[in-house]
Amino acid sequence: MTSRPTTKNSANKDASISVYRETQFETSAAKLSQLPTDEGLEVAFAGRSNAGKSSAINKICCQKSLARTSKTPGRTQLINFFFMDEQRRLVDLPGYGYAKVSADIKRRWQQTMEQYLATRESLQGLILLMDVRHPLKDVDQQLLSWSWNVGMPTHILLTKADKLKRGPAQNTLLKVRKEISGNDPEGLTSVQLFSSLKGTGLDEVYAVLNGWFQLNQK
Ligand SMILES: Nc1nc2c(ncn2[C@@H]2O[C@H](COP(=O)(O)OP(=O)(O)O)[C@@H](O)[C@H]2O)c(=O)[nH]1
Ligand SMILES: [Mg+2]
């Protein structure tokens, strides 16, 4: 018997997803003076180099090479902006962590990123990516502390979930949830498993993004 196509993708949901499909590269910024005008709604992807930021953006936008992905960690040195529509942008932040560059350059990136985070009015929320096998490293904790201090909604993707079996992946999810819940009295932070490779957890990500982007939702 042939099965009917799933009705899970309601017309409404498809309408919001098409805005991701149509996302295009807009510009790269090496310094604050190069940022696009600070208006509309923006969501930034942050995380250590190699956490899977570019892969996640590609997957969410149903495109193969919108954001570059790399086997060499630490290559993305610029803040990359992706245009969804006149009001909405996705932002790929430079990966923090083990980039092979001088301490001086590192400091400069960090300053640019910190200033972006501290000043950007259009920033609605952060997607923080952490490899499910190495969650909550110091730099991740620092970013989370900052989020809690300034009241920035943050959604954590435990990436490369395909690298773990279901049980261990679920354990990590619960552990991370438990660890942040004590520090997050306002409930600004959420966590999920994600795999760009398998598409695991995509619906959950869209639900969060659609909320921040004020896209039609049921
Ligand atoms: N197995 C697996 N590998 C992934 C996944 N996401 C990313 N990768 C790999 O991890 C590496 C770094 O990914 P990338 O998106 O460039 O990370 P970024 O530095 O955070 O932008 C690449 O070799 C990707 O192919 C995933 O969900 N599963
Ligand atoms: Mg990248």
Side-chain angles (χ1 to χ4, degrees):
M1 206 173 87
T2 48
S3 59
R4 286 166 54 80
T6 170
T7 52
K8 223 169 74 182
N9 289 328
S10 64
N12 231 350
K13 195 168 162 193
D14 285 343
S16 71
I17 282 184
S18 73
V19 80
Y20 299 104
R21 277 185 192 278
E22 284 156 20
T23 298
Q24 294 171 34
F25 176 75
E26 184 174 357
T27 188
S28 293
K31 43 190 176 187
L32 293 178
S33 60
Q34 298 169 336
L35 299 181
T37 313
D38 191 0
E39 57 193 16
L41 307 171
E42 211 159 87
V43 173
F45 287 62
R48 301 172 76 222
S49 303
N50 213 40
K53 291 178 296 296
S54 301
S55 304
I57 290 174
N58 287 340
K59 188 70 192 176
I60 288 162
C61 296
C62 312
Q63 299 182 42
K64 286 225 153 58
S65 51
L66 178 62
R68 260 184 265 164
T69 63
S70 175
K71 290 220 183 291
T72 317
R75 293 287 284 275
T76 321
Q77 311 167 17
L78 303 162
I79 303 182
N80 292 307
F81 290 83
F82 301 94
F83 176 97
M84 296 170 68
D85 63 22
E86 291 298 334
Q87 280 102 49
R88 301 177 178 91
R89 282 179 305 272
L90 294 176
V91 184
D92 191 0
L93 292 174
Y96 42 77
Y98 44 74
K100 285 190 198 122
V101 293
S102 70
D104 199 42
I105 292 183
K106 252 187 206 171
R107 215 171 306 124
R108 228 177 307 144
W109 291 356
Q110 205 183 332
Q111 278 174 358
T112 305
M113 223 175 83
E114 279 170 9
Q115 285 173 31
Y116 164 84
L117 290 171
T119 58
R120 197 73 175 165
E121 298 276 341
S122 42
L123 189 62
Q124 302 300 301
L126 275 183
I127 301 281
L128 170 58
L129 294 88
M130 311 188 293
D131 188 316
V132 70
R133 298 163 297 175
H134 317 285
L136 294 172
K137 295 280 185 195
D138 283 354
V139 275
D140 301 319
Q141 306 261 20
Q142 282 165 23
L143 194 61
L144 282 170
S145 297
W146 172 83
S147 296
W148 294 325
N149 274 331
V150 303
M152 179 62 66
T154 301
H155 185 63
I156 298 174
L157 302 185
L158 298 172
T159 60
K160 311 189 189 182
D162 56 277
K163 295 270 192 188
L164 293 182
K165 291 212 167 73
R166 208 184 135 78
Q170 209 61 31
N171 278 343
T172 305
L173 175 63
L174 295 178
K175 234 192 251 166
V176 171
R177 275 203 183 128
K178 195 167 167 205
E179 234 180 285
I180 60 173
S181 65
N183 300 306
D184 180 29
E186 291 179 62
L188 289 165
T189 317
S190 44
V191 195
Q192 67 159 100
L193 293 168
F194 185 78
S195 165
S196 294
L197 193 71
K198 305 273 183 190
T200 318
L202 258 180
D203 283 353
E204 274 176 88
V205 186
Y206 284 129
V208 171
L209 291 176
N210 287 348
W212 289 345
F213 281 129
Q214 301 170 19
L215 289 162
N216 50 2
Q217 302 158 81
K218 286 241 159 152

